[in-house]
Amino acid sequence: MKRLSGTNEEIARLLYEEQLELSRENLNVEEAVRAMIEDVKERGDEALRDYSKRFDKVEVANFEVGQDLIDQAFAEVDEAVLVALENAKANIESYHRQQLETGFEDQPSAGVVRGQLIRPIERVGVYVPGGTAAYPSSVLMNVIPAKIAGVKEIIMVTPPQEKFVPAILVAAKLAGVDKIYQVGGAQGIAALAYGTQTLPKVDKITGPGNIFVATAKKQVYGIVGIDMIAGPSEIGVLADNSANPRYVAADLLSQAEHDELARAILVTDSEELADAVEVEIEKQLKELPREAIARASVENNGRIIVAENVDAMFDLMNLVAPEHLEIAMDNAYDYLDRIENAGSIFLGHYTSEPIGDYYAGTNHVLPTTATSRFSSALGVHDFIKRIQYTQYNKEAIQAAEKDITILAYAEGLQAHAKAIEVRNDED
């Protein structure tokens, strides 16, 4: 892993520029995806079949995944996996139920009523990758908050395959997906955004995917809502000399194995720990089945920063604003108030990041590329709408006329002012 030095501001700027480079748009991908979206808009199901044959090497007769395949998945899934999914579901539900919002209403003055309604989004589409990137945990994380929010219909799309990963279909059923369609890639996003003869148009799309899926989500945003435009996975670890280098190395590699573009960043005030972690990373890399991916990640994108003291450690990590943040320090909970920017925080020597990926109940769909400075983990709030309402009676509008019309005339919008004045001209 590369060592960085300099002021916090210099290091943070360098890390941010590196992050942007990893997430930089590929113009060829942008153009290809735009063409695919237009094709799906024009030809619908016919285009989806052509792309499935071309990219997935599967000829799809029926896009919808039937109950027979779901039943078969339950029969084939490993019993231990099923139990783990059920336990994870319970934790995700119990956490996200606490995010439910209620509306409000007040009467700030005589004759005035103001309020806010909470309404669920009508129909949501969830994209689920296939093949080696088929993660049943991600199905739970995307679907369960939507169900708790009260979304009326959840549509899942996943690439067509000769044989589906049983745990994916099982997770979808456990989480409450209403319909599953075997459509992948940018064409799947286009189908969800615009609808086809078979797939219904949705109001919002969530879920991870490759660069084509992410690009398609960005291009259909505005036609539908999306969860976020995610970059490569990231982990930041704050550790002092109380940390176990073996644990720290393992946690850095837990994200490095995702993708060659993934980022693992250690910030510490201990040269001794930094050295020990480097030794452990090399040792543990050799034991990983995905060694090539993880090695490329840590060698190209892994960073170690030795800060002057604990204050400098926290100041720097707040500038970095990582997706995942571990505080590998004694009494880690006492430092919680020091964190301003992070997607999800993991406290103490035993709270490894994968606990959040799979089990704790907190969501693992998180903001990347320093966007935790202004955005949050996926949650129930992403699947609801807040609708304002106002009521003024005659006396209230008379009392407010002067202030409203002064502002309207100041902005040069006479019709705005007249719309108020006309209600009082009757007298």
Side-chain angles (χ1 to χ4, degrees), residues 55-124:
F55 296 122
D56 303 303
K57 312 303 180 188
V58 176
E59 293 196 24
V60 179
N62 184 6
F63 288 111
E64 186 169 358
V65 174
Q67 186 61 45
D68 58 330
L69 290 178
I70 297 172
D71 291 341
Q72 182 180 339
F74 271 88
E76 295 177 355
V77 72
D78 187 284
E79 181 65 24
V81 172
L82 176 59
V83 171
L85 285 172
E86 290 173 334
N87 290 338
K89 176 192 174 188
N91 289 339
I92 296 166
E93 285 179 335
S94 66
Y95 179 84
H96 286 82
R97 282 197 191 101
Q98 298 179 75
Q99 296 179 336
L100 279 167
E101 296 183 37
T102 57
F104 64 82
E105 183 175 285
D106 71 350
Q107 294 179 305
S109 58
V112 176
V113 177
R114 304 176 304 186
Q116 179 174 276
L117 301 174
I118 303 297
R119 294 289 185 266
I121 292 174
E122 188 80 15
R123 181 185 287 145
V124 167

Side-chain angles (χ1 to χ4, degrees), residues 39-55:
D39 192 21
V40 172
K41 284 170 63 178
E42 291 178 10
R43 297 198 296 133
D45 286 354
E46 183 183 359
L48 297 182
R49 288 193 172 89
D50 287 348
Y51 288 125
S52 294
K53 186 175 180 180
R54 176 180 170 188
F55 296 122

Side-chain angles (χ1 to χ4, degrees), residues 146-400:
K147 294 295 290 187
I148 290 172
V151 172
K152 295 179 176 61
E153 187 175 14
I154 299 176
I155 306 297
M156 184 177 113
V157 297
T158 192
Q161 297 170 58
E162 295 294 343
K163 175 68 174 175
F164 286 103
V165 176
I168 292 292
L169 300 186
V170 169
K173 185 68 173 180
L174 290 176
V177 170
D178 294 291
K179 291 184 179 179
I180 305 171
Y181 295 95
Q182 46 182 330
V183 183
Q187 65 270 26
I189 300 299
L192 290 173
Y194 292 97
T196 70
Q197 295 89 337
T198 300
L199 274 73
K201 170 180 167 47
V202 303
D203 302 305
K204 186 165 188 173
I205 301 172
T206 73
N210 62 19
I211 188 172
F212 289 91
V213 171
T215 301
K217 285 169 67 177
K218 185 175 74 170
Q219 290 187 8
V220 300
Y221 176 64
I223 303 298
V224 294
I226 63 172
D227 47 358
M228 61 188 71
I229 301 170
S233 185
E234 309 156 1
I235 184 170
V237 178
L238 288 166
D240 60 12
N241 59 12
S242 70
N244 184 324
R246 187 180 177 203
Y247 297 174
V248 173
D251 292 351
L252 293 168
L253 291 174
S254 74
Q255 294 308 293
E257 76 169 348
H258 267 300
D259 187 336
E260 291 184 3
L261 299 180
R263 305 209 71 195
I265 300 170
L266 169 62
V267 179
T268 180
D269 62 348
S270 169
E271 287 277 4
E272 182 182 359
L273 178 71
D275 293 340
V277 168
E278 282 196 294
V279 171
E280 272 294 330
I281 284 176
E282 181 58 35
K283 178 181 177 182
Q284 294 182 32
L285 272 171
K286 296 174 181 177
E287 301 170 355
L288 293 177
R290 295 168 68 91
E291 178 187 353
I293 293 172
R295 184 176 293 279
S297 169
V298 296
E299 290 182 353
N300 297 327
N301 310 314
R303 301 292 181 261
I304 294 177
I305 300 104
V306 179
E308 292 183 3
N309 51 47
V310 170
D311 287 341
M313 287 165 51
F314 280 88
D315 289 343
L316 175 58
M317 198 61 84
N318 278 323
L319 291 171
V320 173
E323 177 188 15
H324 308 93
L325 172 60
E326 290 189 2
I327 304 179
M329 302 168 68
D330 288 342
N331 304 312
Y333 188 88
D334 296 341
Y335 293 98
L336 186 57
D337 288 344
R338 302 283 296 272
I339 302 301
E340 299 294 336
N341 302 315
S344 191
I345 303 171
F346 304 85
L347 298 167
H349 300 301
Y350 296 97
T351 315
S352 178
E353 184 277 335
I355 292 172
D357 276 349
Y358 297 111
Y359 196 72
T362 51
N363 209 288
H364 76 200
V365 181
L366 302 168
T368 63
T369 323
T371 56
S372 66
R373 291 177 293 113
F374 55 81
S375 57
S376 310
L378 189 75
V380 172
H381 46 269
D382 288 292
F383 299 101
I384 58 101
K385 303 167 291 182
R386 302 169 184 89
I387 305 172
Q388 303 174 146
Y389 62 91
T390 309
Q391 178 176 285
Y392 273 58
N393 67 14
K394 185 174 183 180
E395 291 74 19
I397 197 65
Q398 287 174 338

Side-chain angles (χ1 to χ4, degrees), residues 31-42:
E31 292 173 5
V33 167
R34 189 171 291 108
M36 292 172 70
I37 291 172
E38 289 301 317
D39 192 21
V40 172
K41 284 170 63 178
E42 291 178 10

